[in-house]
Amino acid sequence: MMSCEKYEQLISIFIDGEISPEKKSELDVHLQNCTDCSEKLEQFKNIGNMMKSANIPEWTKKSQDSIMRAVSKELPKESNIYSIEKMVKRLVAVAALVAVVLFAGLVNNSTKKDTVEPQKRYSLATELVASNSSLPLSVALEMWDLSKSEDVDVKD
Amino acid sequence: MKNSQTSSDSLEKLIRDCQNGVESAWEELVARFGLVVHNFAYSMTNNQADAEEAAQEIFVKLIKNIQKFEFKSSFKTWLHRVVVNGVIDFTKKKKRHTKVSLDEIDPNNVASIAHNDKPSGEIEREEIREKVWKILNELPEHYRAIMIMREMEERSYAEIAEILECPVGTVESRLYRARNMFLEKLKYYEGK
């Protein structure tokens, strides 16, 4: 035979609709013979009714906005994966642009070396030879090369 | 079936976007779950300003913890766990600043707001509501939380056990003790 305290716990489970059929039958029998537990059943039910009558103020757009303001402040914007993706895309674009510029520069430079520079080198060397007939062409060409490496204008 | 699958897919996408810090996803999360957070916070604090402050704290906590959600369990249960624990911490923190003892309260003064222009039925209902909030506020936080989850949110024992991460037997005994505490306080205020 269980004590009233154990039955009271069953009453609590019963009003929540969570009691097993066996325990419910056991409780039924006890309630028919125990006025204290029958009273407890009514009291526990009454708590539920009272609590359901307690009203909660409406959830407003203002409350929602105040939460969102707090959320926005805390969002880790810089570590945001989308920001990282955007940053990587930007870096790739800049790198591609730099590569194009460098490549164009190289092409331009090599074209000058192959076509313009040897011609210029030769014409300047022949000018030097013309102004100084004792100067061999090979030396004049070397002087041109030297002036290029020292960034000195041969004409001066 | 198809609809629930779609809705769980969209919830999963929403959570993943929140994990990636997408602000619009957080806006949607607040719109979808703000009410639940607010109502639980209000029930625990019985104060609108506190409820709003608690709800803000919970969402800030969610930002810091959402990465820990690994889609192995129900998001709603996980969220309610964060909410319940967060609001309990909030009310404990608040209580340290405004501690009221039962001995300091005169039972005759409970529900003493002037009801001059209201019909008697409405006055009675208001008095009951005031008693409910007063008594709930005096219950220890864990008992208050379990009473709210059961009596107001009408959650099953299994759900409550999952949220509180405890056995169903613990839910049963805690609810029984909470109801008895409530009754004791009710008798006190009714002068019985």
Side-chain angles (χ1 to χ4, degrees), chain A residues 125 128-129 134-145:
Chain A
L128 277 171
V129 171
S134 63
L135 191 69
L137 183 64
S138 59
V139 175
L141 282 169
E142 273 177 31
M143 282 174 74
W144 157 253
D145 289 340

Side-chain angles (χ1 to χ4, degrees), chain B residues 114-140:
Chain B
H115 303 290
N116 299 342
D117 302 329
K118 292 178 180 166
S120 62
E122 183 51 35
I123 294 171
E124 204 178 306
R125 279 192 290 276
E126 241 175 66
E127 282 176 355
I128 289 170
R129 284 196 284 265
E130 282 169 29
K131 269 181 207 159
V132 168
W133 289 125
K134 203 151 196 67
I135 293 169
L136 266 181
N137 262 331
E138 288 168 11
L139 292 184

Side-chain angles (χ1 to χ4, degrees), chain A residues 4-19 39-40 43-60 62-77 79-83, chain B residues 17-18 20-23 26-27 30-31 34-35 38-40 42-43 48 52 55-56 59-60 63-64 125 128-129 131-133 135-136 144 147-148 150-152 154-158 168-169 172-173 175-176 179-180 182-183 186-187 190:
Chain A
C4 274
E5 198 186 318
K6 289 284 171 196
Y7 282 113
E8 282 179 5
Q9 189 161 342
L10 284 185
I11 290 168
S12 176
I13 299 168
F14 167 72
I15 59 165
D16 289 330
E18 301 254 1
I19 199 166
E39 200 183 326
K40 199 76 166 192
Q43 288 169 339
F44 278 177
K45 272 189 190 169
N46 188 37
I47 293 175
N49 294 333
M50 283 176 80
M51 282 188 68
K52 281 174 189 70
S53 76
N55 49 351
I56 295 171
E58 218 175 293
W59 162 246
T60 60
K62 197 179 142 221
S63 313
Q64 193 175 322
D65 290 345
S66 72
I67 291 178
M68 210 41 229
R69 275 195 297 278
V71 166
S72 296
K73 273 188 214 158
E74 294 295 324
L75 276 179
K77 291 190 172 58
S79 65
N80 177 342
I81 196 163
Y82 287 94
S83 297
Chain B
D17 285 347
C18 286
N20 289 332
V22 179
E23 193 163 346
W26 278 100
E27 262 174 51
V30 170
L35 175 71
H38 166 268
N39 285 1
F40 185 79
Y42 184 87
S43 307
Q48 182 62 10
E52 284 193 12
Q56 285 176 20
F59 275 97
V60 168
I63 291 174
K64 289 172 182 160
R125 279 192 290 276
I128 289 170
R129 284 196 284 265
K131 269 181 207 159
V132 168
W133 289 125
I135 293 169
L136 266 181
R144 196 187 317 165
M147 284 291 273
I148 292 164
R150 178 58 223 159
E151 299 286 21
M152 291 175 156
E154 300 183 334
R155 295 187 188 280
S156 70
Y157 283 9
V168 167
E172 289 174 357
S173 54
L175 263 170
Y176 166 64
R179 283 184 168 124
N180 272 328
F182 193 103
L183 269 186
L186 184 63
K187 281 177 189 167
E190 287 179 343

Side-chain angles (χ1 to χ4, degrees), chain B residues 77-93:
Chain B
T77 305
W78 181 85
L79 175 92
H80 285 125
R81 194 174 300 140
V82 176
V83 173
V84 170
N85 292 332
V87 177
I88 286 176
D89 288 347
F90 178 88
T91 47
K92 278 182 182 169
K93 198 170 69 186

Side-chain angles (χ1 to χ4, degrees), chain B residues 4-18 28-29 32-33 66 69 71 73-77 79:
Chain B
S4 75
Q5 182 65 41
T6 314
S7 118
S8 81
D9 286 351
S10 72
L11 180 62
E12 190 181 327
K13 190 187 175 304
L14 178 67
I15 299 160
R16 289 197 192 281
D17 285 347
C18 286
E28 197 184 327
L29 197 84
R32 274 171 81 163
F33 297 105
I66 202 157
F69 182 70
F71 300 89
S73 57
S74 148
F75 176 72
K76 285 178 189 172
T77 305
L79 175 92

Side-chain angles (χ1 to χ4, degrees), chain B residues 95-112:
Chain B
K95 198 168 76 176
R96 278 200 290 273
H97 300 290
T98 52
K99 209 161 188 171
V100 179
S101 156
L102 190 64
D103 299 330
E104 293 166 9
I105 300 165
D106 178 359
N108 300 319
N109 285 340
V110 175
S112 58

